[in-house]
Amino acid sequence: MSKEAILKNIRVSLQQNTINYTPISYQSPMKITQSNLIEEYKINQTNNKAIIKECTLDTLLTTLQDTLKEIKAKEVLYNTDIKLPLENLQSDFRLIPYTKSIDTMREQCFGIDTSIVKARCAVANLGIIGLSSNTNAPRLSSLITNTCIYLLEKNSIVENLYEATIAIKTYEKNRSGGEILPSNIIFVAGPSRTADIELQTVFGVHGSRVTYVLLY
């Protein structure tokens, strides 16, 4: 039976058989220690070994430039969904827009030291960042470089993981103008790290070794 025939049968079946949905309720098991979501997020994200720099929208570009200079960036990969005049940055590095597939720029990508990624949201009670991948924000941009700089709006911080998932889905639906969901939803706690059987922590195994969050 073809795919089209199967889908047609499903649609006919749904018309004839009503599915009763039960509303989902969620209660977070995590305790909130701060009355302010931003402060809660900052404490937990710092505990996850990310470096947070606070600024305003007006000073975001300057803070980004200072950060790139601080880490001595040489080649900087950035997602094209970032709405900042990055061309106005002045420093000794080369900006590379992530506009090609990994298959066509594989060797180049593995030599890039820094990336800039726009976060969709953050989870206060876990201290993590929420990302979604699409054509303007490929998944590897947050994983392939030694240092990753996340741009995070304060008003996108939510209390728990459930609210973050809803926020990311809503963002992608609004972006695409339909019901299309991202191919990947990624949550980043901080620098990638793991420990072997001898409990020796190693950074950078599954992603960036250094994580910055520019909170504005």
Side-chain angles (χ1 to χ4, degrees):
M1 184 178 293
S2 67
K3 175 182 176 182
E4 290 75 16
I6 293 173
L7 292 176
K8 181 181 178 180
N9 289 341
I10 292 174
R11 285 191 289 268
V12 171
S13 177
L14 288 174
Q15 291 174 354
Q16 297 176 354
N17 302 280
T18 303
I19 297 178
N20 296 320
Y21 293 95
T22 302
I24 298 174
S25 61
Y26 175 81
Q27 291 184 343
S28 174
M30 303 295 292
K31 292 183 178 179
I32 295 291
T33 61
Q34 303 293 317
S35 59
N36 185 299
L37 281 182
I38 295 176
E39 293 304 315
E40 179 79 9
Y41 164 74
K42 286 164 54 180
I43 290 172
N44 290 325
Q45 185 73 84
T46 301
N47 289 339
N48 285 330
K49 309 303 181 183
I51 302 169
I52 297 178
K53 290 189 174 185
E54 285 193 79
C55 58
T56 65
L57 180 59
D58 292 336
T59 60
L60 178 58
L61 199 64
T62 301
T63 304
L64 177 58
Q65 180 168 303
D66 292 342
T67 303
L68 291 169
K69 184 177 180 180
E70 176 184 317
I71 62 179
K72 299 179 181 180
K74 298 299 181 184
E75 292 190 321
V76 180
L77 185 72
Y78 68 93
N79 289 339
T80 56
D81 64 342
I82 296 174
K83 307 304 180 184
L84 284 176
L86 298 179
E87 66 277 4
N88 293 341
L89 291 171
Q90 299 177 357
S91 191
D92 298 326
F93 55 78
R94 184 165 69 97
L95 282 171
I96 305 169
Y98 201 160
T99 56
K100 301 178 182 178
S101 71
I102 186 62
D103 293 327
T104 60
M105 57 186 301
R106 186 183 304 274
E107 293 184 6
Q108 181 184 22
C109 277
F110 280 100
I112 297 173
D113 56 273
T114 304
S115 60
I116 306 173
V117 176
K118 178 71 168 64
R120 307 290 177 238
C121 63
V123 182
N125 65 5
L126 295 176
I128 61 177
I129 298 165
L131 312 173
S132 61
S133 60
N134 55 56
T135 54
N136 296 320
R139 179 176 63 91
L140 282 178
S141 57
S142 64
L143 303 173
I144 203 170
T145 58
N146 185 66
T147 301
C148 187
I149 302 172
Y150 296 97
L151 310 180
L152 175 65
E153 296 182 48
K154 290 182 178 180
N155 61 10
S156 68
I157 298 175
V158 298
E159 181 179 328
N160 54 58
L161 193 61
Y162 175 78
E163 292 180 10
T165 303
I166 297 299
I168 291 174
K169 288 182 177 181
T170 301
Y171 171 88
E172 285 296 333
K173 288 180 179 179
N174 291 338
R175 182 192 66 83
S176 63
E179 295 297 316
I180 300 176
L181 293 177
S183 59
N184 289 275
I185 293 178
I186 305 166
F187 290 102
V188 180
S192 171
R193 56 195 183 274
T194 188
D196 60 17
I197 196 170
E198 296 179 355
L199 302 181
Q200 297 295 316
T201 303
V202 179
F203 286 86
V205 176
H206 309 294
S208 299
R209 296 180 62 195
V210 181
T211 296
Y212 281 84
V213 178
L214 305 191
L215 184 61
Y216 65 97

